[in-house]
Amino acid sequence: MDKINQKNFDELRHTVEYVTGCKMCTPKNFNLLSVRIYDRTHVSLSPSTLKRFWGYATKDESSNGMRRKSTLDVLSRYAGYTDWEAFCQRDQQPDAKDASNLFFGHKHITADSMQPGDTLIVIWKPNRRITLRYVGNSMWMVIESKNSKLSEGDTFKCHVFIEQQPLVLSDLIHDNLPPCGYICGKNGGINFMRPSLEKP
């Protein structure tokens, strides 16, 4: 593998970890990533494939799991690029070297940039609106809901909110049901704003 390809592989790993909100260093992390990739791309990558890509399962970086273009394409799409070629050409795009400037410049916000008690308003078609309070550790609570199936008091995990992209929630607790996943804004994605509200 030449140095340019190795650099791209390393950068793709870093970008996927940034989007996911954790380092890929335990079997639980790879299971979580597999679920989130499917939620975002509707393509399945098994935890074992992801482990090979990160060199977790083997130190042989020439394995097929590393080089298979279909795997690279899916991971690139999850990271906000159209495919592997687009990811490799990211340095030719304005501000592409800034790790926080992902998703083709779409406005986004991560849980890491929030403090417990901070609020966020999320809206999506048609006329859906929720107000969230950040709890910590990527966990959010719904404090107001209008025209949405989510209810006041619901909690869920989400690391990143991206405008014009669907919002993927994990570990959603709703109406005392078992934790589940949920997607907001399947048609057209979401928009969000940070209101100037007093913390409780």
Side-chain angles (χ1 to χ4, degrees), residues 30 48 50-60:
F30 290 105
S48 59
L50 297 171
K51 288 176 182 178
R52 286 195 298 272
F53 183 78
W54 262 264
Y56 183 88
T58 175
K59 294 183 178 180
D60 178 12

Side-chain angles (χ1 to χ4, degrees), residues 5-177:
N5 281 339
Q6 180 63 56
K7 177 184 176 181
N8 286 332
F9 284 138
D10 291 342
E11 286 295 328
L12 183 57
R13 292 190 191 105
H14 172 75
T15 303
V16 169
E17 289 175 341
Y18 176 85
V19 172
T20 307
C22 63
K23 293 286 187 181
M24 295 297 112
C25 56
T26 69
K28 183 178 179 180
N29 295 144
F30 290 105
N31 291 338
L32 172 65
L33 179 57
S34 179
V35 171
R36 289 191 176 179
I37 288 173
Y38 183 79
D39 286 342
R40 186 177 294 280
T41 69
H42 304 294
V43 177
S44 178
L45 288 183
S46 70
S48 59
T49 296
L50 297 171
K51 288 176 182 178
R52 286 195 298 272
F53 183 78
W54 262 264
Y56 183 88
T58 175
K59 294 183 178 180
D60 178 12
E61 294 194 344
S62 65
S63 64
N64 289 335
M66 289 282 294
R67 291 183 175 273
R68 188 174 297 123
K69 186 175 182 298
S70 59
T71 299
L72 298 172
D73 283 340
V74 173
L75 288 170
S76 297
R77 285 172 55 195
Y78 174 77
Y81 297 83
T82 53
D83 54 26
W84 171 241
E85 284 79 7
F87 181 83
C88 292
Q89 295 171 8
R90 67 198 179 282
D91 289 336
Q92 301 175 18
Q93 302 171 5
D95 300 327
K97 293 182 180 181
D98 182 353
S100 66
N101 189 7
L102 302 174
F103 312 106
F104 298 105
H106 287 180
K107 178 182 174 185
H108 67 280
I109 190 169
T110 64
D112 293 340
S113 68
M114 307 289 283
Q115 296 294 323
D118 285 351
T119 54
L120 192 69
I121 294 174
V122 181
I123 59 176
W124 67 96
K125 298 177 182 178
N127 301 320
R128 311 289 194 242
R129 176 188 173 109
I130 55 175
T131 303
L132 307 174
R133 177 178 295 132
Y134 186 55
V135 179
N137 295 321
S138 297
M139 182 71 72
W140 301 81
M141 175 179 287
V142 179
I143 59 176
E144 185 180 19
S145 177
K146 294 182 179 179
N147 304 315
S148 167
K149 292 182 179 179
L150 299 175
S151 303
E152 183 177 334
D154 287 356
T155 60
F156 60 85
K157 283 189 174 181
C158 182
H159 178 70
V160 62
F161 298 76
I162 311 162
E163 287 205 337
Q164 302 176 37
Q165 296 290 327
L167 176 63
V168 180
L169 314 181
S170 63
D171 296 334
L172 171 65
I173 303 296
H174 173 76
D175 290 343
N176 296 317
L177 297 173

